[in-house]
Amino acid sequence: MPDLKKTRNFCIIAHIDHGKTTLSDRLLEATNTVEMRNMKEQLLDSMDLERERGITIKCHPVTLLYKAPDGEIWTLNLIDTPGHVDFSYEVSRSLAACEGALLLVDAAQGIEAQTVANCHLAMKQDMVIVPIINKIDLPGADIDHARSQLEEVLAIPGDEAVLASAKNGIGISDIFEAILARMPSPRWYDFPQARALVFDCVFDAFKGVICFVRIFSGSIRRGQQIVLMSDGTRTEVKEVGVFSPKMRPIDSLDPGSVGYIVTGIKEVADIRLGDTITLADAPAKEMLPGYQEVRPMVFAGLYPIDTSDYEKLKVSMAKLRLNDSAFVYQPESSVALGFGFRCGFLGLLHMEIVVERIRREYDLDIISTYPSVVYLVTKSDGEVVEVQNPVHLPDPSEIEQVEEPMIRATLHLPNEYIGDILALVMEKRGMVENTETIDAQRVMLTALLPLNEIVVDFNDRLKSITRGYGSMDYDFAEYQVSKLVKLDILVNGEQVDAFSSVVHTDKAAAKGRMLCAKLKEILPRQLFKVAIQAAVGSNVVARETIGALRKDVTAKCYGGDISRKRKLLEKQKEGKKRMKQIGKVAIPQEAFIDILKSTN
Amino acid sequence: MHVPFCARACDFCNFYQERPDRTGIQDYLAAMEREFALYPPARPFETVFWGGGTPGLLKAEDLRRLGRIIQNADTRHLREWTVEMAPGSVREDKLESLREMGVTRVSMGVQSFDDGLLERLGRPHTRRQVDQAIDLIRKLEFPNWNLDLMFALPGQTLTQWEADIRAAMEREPPHLSTYCLTFEEDTTLWVRLQKGQVHKRSEVEEAAFYERAWDLLASGGYGQYEVSNFARPGYSCIHNLNTWRMHEWLGYGPSASSQLGQRRWTNAHDLEAWATGVATARPARVDEVALTPNLLAQDCVVFGLRMNEGIDLCHLQKRYPDADWPALDTLLAQLVEEALIEVTEARWTLTRSGRLLADAIGSAVIGAMDADALAPAS
């Protein structure tokens, strides 16, 4: 059993690009956890996609053995946290496994939305926060400014900050000393029964489901029967071990330690993050605090562009789900797009990551429909239904009320953009609840916004208005009654299901006009006039007409031209086969893709 | 019969052609004689068409040598014999030889009476040469003669086009062909289009050029009988009508096409390959396809509709009873509803707006008639 007094469990919280991964690497290096020659740049982010986008999606814990200046060996468990708003519950579970957090602030950029959001998450859990001002050797570094921001925004005394440059190895020993001196040793070790927090899990083709755990009390060994407390699932422990940084089996995981448990459970989907593991023969009655059921917030249809790829897509989704329990899917079909899947995601970034992984790792060409949120619809007969797909919104005459999910967003931005951002929040039907001055240059806004307004382009707009200096974090707030309607697109009177969306009644006409105009631009002209309409129920809110094709005739068509002409016509016919027939109008698949892309 | 020689390549033309030289021409004539001897028409033919290339480029003696191939064949049913000429190569001795051997129709690629436009097309002749050639054709009293005009040329205005049509009509040819400029790959014009040096006319502009021609020619007594062809009554080109009605034809020479029995093919677009094929009696052919009744039926509709006479659906159903005619019902009804097709007595004809869309309608016809054939696979 490790000496609890010489054990520290901590994580690093930071805004994207403030140097979290670099600092992790330095800490590993300083403790010889990885030999230099095995060091790869940014070791902890192993997925290509993560590395490319500079964000961490999955947490990778690691145990560091630190030799203090007095010669004593300390066990330091570092738990990496995901770096995006979509994964805030995952972040909170990683934090819950620790007693302390290193709060990394970029000396040049100062405090950003995510710094605040993550810091608040940590404070809520009574964690000890060690602020670090990073990148102090950069030309734009303003240490005093960062210190005063810490005090003003987060109420953390500025002189507590450790000054460092993770990139150049400055201040690393100060950081270790701060961890040892300021962070508490593992808590709750004396609870009478065994309790371990599941903060992540992965699927391994050989071992099955592996849970990443923080042991709070009791010991867990191979061969024991354990219980997942959220639903009472019983399973056998096949193996326990630690991360150094690769998985290494050990005999027993003891209180205060961080490690993994190989279970007999077959699917990651059966593990709930934040769950508490206890021993079957002496079970705890009370779970560790903070457990929540994670529910997908954003839904979209994913369809193979080549319809024959359906099976391949199905297989790839099943594989993805093995390691991503937050991703859900079920088959659905669309008149316009054929057979595909309705998929649920934590947020838009999560959706982007899944779509991108399917494209890259499984080499599939797919198209996604508009992202939609989950609406709560109360029907006239009192029944409440959840609607994830706009197509399934009941007829307006059957609807008593529609509720939509609202989020509370924290926006950090330079003062000069406040007017434009307030306008953006208004445009997105949001309400600013609070405005706080961070310092002479920056402000923090708190706003209540409908999720369906931010899933599409809010973050991009924020970034472009503030030239990249604005940042955002959000959390689900509540369901609110709203005047929402289904906007349908009709081509020559036939509804095109893939283009249906749920919009606020005040925005229906504008969105309808935008979609109609876009379709007019994209749809190839036909032999006849084509009417494009946007409608709410039977009420047409926008329309466009695509004039009939005017001239399509070859001038010369003699004996020698017949074969050539014939080939040309055959080619056109092949092209038509790839089109979706909506009534008598043939719409090329490319048009669907263009529309969904350009308006997403 | 394809004569593949041109003095120079015109900027718009992608037909197969070679630079003429004395031995090349002699070898070509010998190979033509041999090809005709090897694969003679199985029954008497009604029309002969010499195209190219520039058949008129051959010297009078060479024209006579080529003519003897026809003269020595069974000409009992021969009703029309056309020779294509370029205005610059028309000579009295050539025309005399042609007239003597029995040529009935001369077709001349005038393209425009506007020297500026001619220059821009890379056509090596002038308005004056055209008039001299027309005088000679008249003098030798060919029963039928045609002028080709081109429109929607880069830089050409509708007024200029109208002037060209009027200039052509003033010269009173029995037959007129008017061709909308097409940018064909492997032409100088295509390259200039790719480089952005010239621009393609919009669909609406091209339609306006078409319709202006149709109106003017009709008022001048030229009846339209196909998208690009007009004639005084009785002067339509029998040879081309035969093609569009999907009968049979035999092509001799490199790049010439044939449709015979259940097959359609084209000779190699290469003088040497074709000549070797002929010499070894192993013909060099490309694009050889088997003609099924369904395919021929489709082509009867597609190419038939390009003619003003349209198609006689009952007649076609009798000619190809096994083709998938019911598959056309919905499409035809739709085209009638959109006023692109008219039904008069038993005939289906394109309306004026339908004629401007003959290609789009053609591909819809093929799509409809093939739909069933494609279905069982899935």
Side-chain angles (χ1 to χ4, degrees):
Chain A
M1 175 156 164
D3 184 352
L4 282 179
K5 287 198 180 105
K6 290 206 184 96
T7 300
R8 295 291 182 269
N9 292 322
F10 72 105
C11 56
I12 307 172
I13 51 183
H15 189 74
I16 297 168
D17 283 341
H18 281 198
K20 186 175 71 176
T21 310
T22 315
L23 178 60
S24 308
D25 290 350
R26 285 297 97 70
L27 299 180
L28 261 66
E29 204 178 280
T31 51
N32 292 319
T33 308
V34 202
E35 286 186 28
M36 286 300 275
R37 63 188 157 84
N38 292 334
M39 276 289 290
K40 254 168 94 187
E41 241 352 84
Q42 309 223 325
L43 189 89
L44 292 178
D45 289 27
S46 56
M47 268 201 301
D48 279 353
L49 205 61
E50 292 181 27
R51 199 169 295 191
E52 218 166 87
R53 306 179 72 110
I55 48 164
T56 317
I57 301 156
K58 280 280 179 185
C59 317
H60 309 268
V62 59
T63 299
L64 316 171
L65 296 176
Y66 174 70
K67 192 174 176 186
D70 62 3
E72 295 280 349
I73 304 291
W74 291 65
T75 304
L76 307 179
N77 292 309
L78 166 61
I79 293 169
D80 198 18
T81 55
H84 192 275
V85 287
D86 283 358
F87 304 96
S88 67
Y89 176 70
E90 281 192 37
V91 175
S92 86
R93 292 309 83 204
S94 298
L95 297 179
C98 307
E99 278 76 26
L102 298 177
L103 175 72
L104 208 50
V105 178
D106 184 306
Q109 291 180 27
I111 283 171
E112 298 279 351
Q114 253 181 285
T115 326
V116 180
N118 288 340
C119 188
H120 285 159
L121 278 178
M123 285 170 165
K124 259 189 239 166
Q125 303 190 32
D126 295 326
M127 293 169 72
V128 168
I129 290 161
V130 174
I132 296 170
I133 298 173
N134 192 27
K135 307 193 189 180
I136 54 163
D137 52 348
L138 279 189
D142 186 346
I143 297 167
D144 290 340
H145 181 245
R147 280 194 214 272
S148 63
Q149 277 197 339
L150 279 171
E151 290 187 6
E152 285 165 31
V153 184
L154 299 169
I156 295 173
D159 55 10
E160 282 185 11
V162 179
L163 305 181
S165 165
K167 195 172 171 218
N168 295 311
I170 301 167
I172 303 301
S173 54
D174 296 343
I175 293 172
F176 277 115
E177 283 313 303
I179 293 170
L180 269 46
R182 301 193 211 167
M183 289 185 188
S185 56
R187 51 185 161 173
W188 306 333
Y189 59 89
D190 50 358
F191 194 79
Q193 292 87 29
R195 286 198 303 188
L197 174 75
V198 179
F199 60 85
D200 200 0
C201 63
V202 294
F203 179 79
D204 180 281
F206 301 104
K207 294 181 173 172
V209 171
I210 303 173
C211 295
F212 294 1
V213 296
R214 153 72 196 273
I215 309 289
F216 278 89
S217 53
S219 293
I220 294 177
R221 292 164 204 282
R222 197 161 72 107
Q224 282 179 321
Q225 289 288 317
I226 52 169
V227 175
L228 289 158
M229 292 181 72
S230 68
D231 64 352
T233 304
R234 257 179 92 120
T235 182
E236 191 192 312
V237 177
K238 300 258 174 81
E239 180 185 315
V240 297
V242 292
F243 304 95
S244 59
K246 279 187 183 160
M247 283 190 249
R248 180 169 60 85
I250 57 169
D251 294 335
S252 162
L253 278 177
D254 298 323
S257 64
V258 171
Y260 66 88
I261 299 175
V262 178
T263 66
I265 289 165
K266 296 278 183 296
E267 282 183 40
V268 165
D270 294 332
I271 302 286
R272 288 167 187 80
L273 291 191
D275 207 343
T276 303
I277 287 176
T278 189
L279 290 172
D281 50 11
K285 289 205 171 59
E286 213 181 307
M287 288 177 75
L288 288 159
Y291 171 75
Q292 275 175 31
E293 188 122 5
V294 182
R295 309 190 66 193
M297 304 276 279
V298 174
F299 284 80
L302 297 187
Y303 290 83
I305 289 190
D306 181 345
T307 49
S308 64
D309 278 340
Y310 176 80
E311 283 301 321
K312 208 174 149 195
L313 178 59
K314 193 170 157 187
V315 170
S316 65
M317 285 189 168
K319 281 190 186 160
L320 271 181
R321 178 153 169 77
L322 282 179
N323 260 326
D324 186 351
S325 57
F327 165 61
V328 298
Y329 66 97
Q330 63 183 57
E332 75 167 4
S333 68
S334 151
V335 177
L337 302 170
F339 291 101
F341 299 91
R342 194 81 198 159
C343 303
F345 309 93
L346 293 173
L348 202 67
L349 179 91
H350 184 209
M351 170 171 160
E352 263 180 57
I353 289 166
V354 169
V355 168
E356 199 55 31
R357 286 188 66 187
I358 290 172
R359 289 202 176 118
R360 277 193 213 185
E361 294 170 32
Y362 301 96
D363 195 24
L364 275 166
D365 224 354
I366 53 172
I367 177 171
S368 72
T369 63
Y370 291 121
S372 167
V373 300
V374 182
Y375 299 97
L376 294 180
V377 180
T378 309
K379 303 216 277 191
S380 320
D381 60 6
E383 190 196 350
V384 179
V385 289
E386 279 188 13
V387 175
Q388 304 164 353
N389 183 343
V391 173
H392 298 145
L393 202 73
D395 189 82
S397 64
E398 291 173 33
I399 297 178
E400 187 67 38
Q401 65 169 32
V402 182
E403 288 165 81
E404 64 176 332
M406 304 293 288
I407 54 114
R408 185 161 282 112
T410 319
L411 307 167
H412 279 235
L413 47 123
N415 294 338
E416 56 194 297
Y417 304 115
I418 189 155
D420 292 340
I421 295 299
L422 287 175
L424 175 66
V425 171
M426 286 281 287
E427 180 200 321
K428 298 294 187 186
R429 300 191 283 122
M431 205 183 70
V432 175
E433 296 178 321
N434 193 24
T435 312
E436 230 174 278
T437 308
I438 299 176
D439 54 39
Q441 285 91 45
R442 294 176 73 82
V443 286
M444 180 172 91
L445 304 180
T446 314
L448 195 65
L449 283 149
L451 179 62
N452 96 338
E453 295 283 348
I454 68 149
V455 288
V456 176
D457 63 352
F458 190 85
N459 204 30
D460 291 345
R461 295 272 302 274
L462 169 70
K463 291 282 178 203
S464 85
I465 291 173
T466 61
R467 293 163 194 270
Y469 290 110
S471 60
M472 172 178 83
D473 195 274
Y474 72 82
D475 219 344
F476 172 73
E478 63 194 10
Y479 267 88
Q480 239 181 38
V481 175
S482 184
K483 281 187 177 170
L484 297 168
V485 289
K486 180 166 67 131
L487 181 70
D488 292 319
I489 296 296
L490 297 96
V491 173
N492 268 4
E494 305 268 344
Q495 189 186 324
V496 186
D497 59 0
F499 296 151
S500 291
S501 56
V502 174
V503 292
H504 190 266
T505 181
D506 293 346
K507 290 186 160 188
K511 184 168 182 191
R513 278 194 297 274
M514 186 272 285
L515 277 172
C516 288
K518 192 75 203 168
L519 268 167
K520 180 176 182 174
E521 186 187 305
I522 283 174
L523 285 189
R525 288 201 286 161
Q526 319 261 331
L527 281 171
F528 35 79
K529 264 200 301 199
V530 175
I532 304 167
Q533 295 165 308
V536 172
S538 56
N539 181 24
V540 174
V541 295
R543 75 174 78 226
E544 290 278 359
T545 305
I546 302 178
L549 201 58
R550 188 75 179 87
K551 182 246 155 193
D552 180 12
V553 59
T554 307
K556 282 200 167 195
C557 221
Y558 301 114
D561 303 315
I562 303 274
S563 295
R564 236 157 53 106
K565 180 80 204 141
R566 177 83 211 185
K567 268 194 215 168
L568 197 78
L569 293 173
E570 293 273 347
K571 218 163 109 186
Q572 287 174 358
K573 186 193 73 190
E574 285 307 305
K576 283 232 175 72
K577 272 202 309 196
R578 278 183 279 121
M579 294 193 189
K580 306 285 180 189
Q581 198 72 30
I582 304 289
K584 61 178 181 176
V585 184
I587 304 181
Q589 180 126 32
E590 293 75 30
F592 284 99
I593 298 167
D594 281 357
I595 279 278
L596 291 171
K597 268 190 187 154
S598 65
T599 50
N600 255 357
Chain B
M1 297 170 83
H2 192 95
V3 185
F5 304 104
C6 281
R8 57 163 294 182
C10 297
D11 290 358
F12 55 85
C13 178
N14 76 333
F15 283 103
Y16 172 64
Q17 38 104 1
E18 292 267 344
R19 293 288 167 281
D21 70 72
R22 202 62 214 141
T23 21
I25 290 175
Q26 293 313 305
D27 291 349
Y28 160 77
L29 292 169
M32 284 298 274
E33 287 161 353
R34 183 165 161 82
E35 187 179 29
F36 200 86
L38 276 171
Y39 315 103
R43 50 198 169 79
F45 44 87
E46 289 176 275
T47 63
V48 172
F49 198 105
W50 289 3
T54 318
L57 196 78
L58 298 184
K59 290 181 170 179
E61 56 179 281
D62 294 336
L63 288 170
R64 285 197 295 273
R65 182 172 167 190
L66 197 61
R68 276 194 292 276
I69 298 177
I70 300 302
Q71 289 169 305
N72 294 337
D74 183 347
T75 55
R76 265 179 298 162
H77 295 166
L78 182 58
R79 295 200 282 153
E80 179 188 278
W81 183 348
T82 304
V83 175
E84 283 184 347
M85 316 258 324
S89 63
V90 172
R91 305 266 184 285
E92 190 161 4
D93 62 330
K94 292 186 193 175
L95 289 183
E96 272 169 358
S97 300
L98 293 176
R99 194 72 188 95
E100 268 166 33
M101 67 177 83
V103 170
T104 63
R105 188 172 177 268
V106 172
S107 175
M108 195 157 65
V110 172
Q111 317 317 355
S112 175
F113 290 92
D114 184 319
D115 284 346
L117 287 173
L118 283 173
E119 169 113 33
R120 264 188 266 176
L121 283 173
R123 274 304 267 192
H125 64 253
T126 59
R127 180 183 182 131
R128 225 175 81 84
Q129 282 175 301
V130 170
D131 279 326
Q132 285 166 350
I134 290 173
D135 287 344
L136 286 173
I137 292 166
R138 280 227 185 81
K139 184 177 166 194
L140 285 154
E141 297 180 329
F142 280 91
N144 192 356
W145 52 283
N146 166 59
L147 301 180
D148 282 350
L149 294 180
M150 287 179 81
F151 63 89
L153 307 173
Q156 186 185 33
T157 62
L158 257 183
T159 319
Q160 281 176 306
W161 174 222
E162 202 175 312
D164 262 344
I165 298 167
R166 290 193 192 282
M169 289 197 299
E170 275 165 24
R171 285 152 179 86
E172 299 184 317
H175 191 284
L176 267 167
S177 300
T178 59
Y179 299 116
C180 184
L181 176 69
T182 345
F183 290 87
E184 305 279 0
E185 277 183 66
D186 302 326
T187 62
T188 308
L189 211 54
W190 174 265
V191 173
R192 288 170 56 203
L193 179 72
Q194 298 303 310
K195 287 185 180 164
Q197 293 165 345
V198 290
H199 301 283
K200 201 176 162 355
R201 296 303 180 106
S202 75
E203 192 189 291
V204 175
E205 283 178 293
E206 287 185 346
F209 275 90
Y210 261 108
E211 294 198 284
R212 183 64 61 91
W214 297 351
D215 289 338
L216 272 177
L217 288 164
S219 68
Y222 288 91
Q224 183 180 24
Y225 68 101
E226 195 256 3
V227 172
S228 306
N229 287 283
F230 307 82
R232 288 268 159 81
Y235 288 91
S236 303
C237 177
I238 306 166
H239 181 84
N240 287 334
L241 285 170
N242 172 72
T243 310
W244 299 325
R245 288 169 182 156
M246 284 299 127
H247 294 142
E248 293 178 310
W249 59 93
L250 273 172
Y252 297 94
S255 196
S257 292
S258 305
Q259 173 160 303
L260 186 72
Q262 309 306 307
R263 285 180 316 131
R264 184 183 283 166
W265 71 90
T266 300
N267 286 350
H269 307 282
D270 179 323
L271 184 57
E272 223 170 288
W274 163 77
T276 312
V278 170
T280 56
R282 289 216 301 265
R285 292 171 179 174
V286 293
D287 292 336
E288 191 152 4
V289 284
L291 299 172
T292 61
N294 200 42
L295 188 138
L296 273 171
Q298 287 170 20
D299 286 351
C300 282
V301 177
V302 171
F303 297 99
L305 284 174
R306 290 175 57 90
M307 293 185 283
N308 291 54
E309 67 179 33
I311 52 168
D312 180 337
L313 214 52
C314 296
H315 170 77
L316 288 179
Q317 282 166 358
K318 274 181 213 137
R319 189 164 147 194
Y320 303 107
D322 297 329
D324 189 8
W325 297 107
L328 270 189
D329 291 350
T330 323
L331 176 65
L332 288 178
Q334 202 178 307
L335 293 172
V336 169
E337 193 189 308
E338 299 294 337
L340 297 172
I341 276 192
E342 261 172 351
V343 193
T344 42
E345 289 163 27
R347 304 201 75 89
W348 298 71
T349 52
L350 293 183
T351 60
R352 180 184 263 240
S353 44
R355 188 158 299 116
L356 283 169
L357 296 170
D359 283 16
I361 292 170
S363 90
V365 165
I366 291 184
M369 290 181 82
D370 262 4
D372 274 1
L374 295 166
S378 59

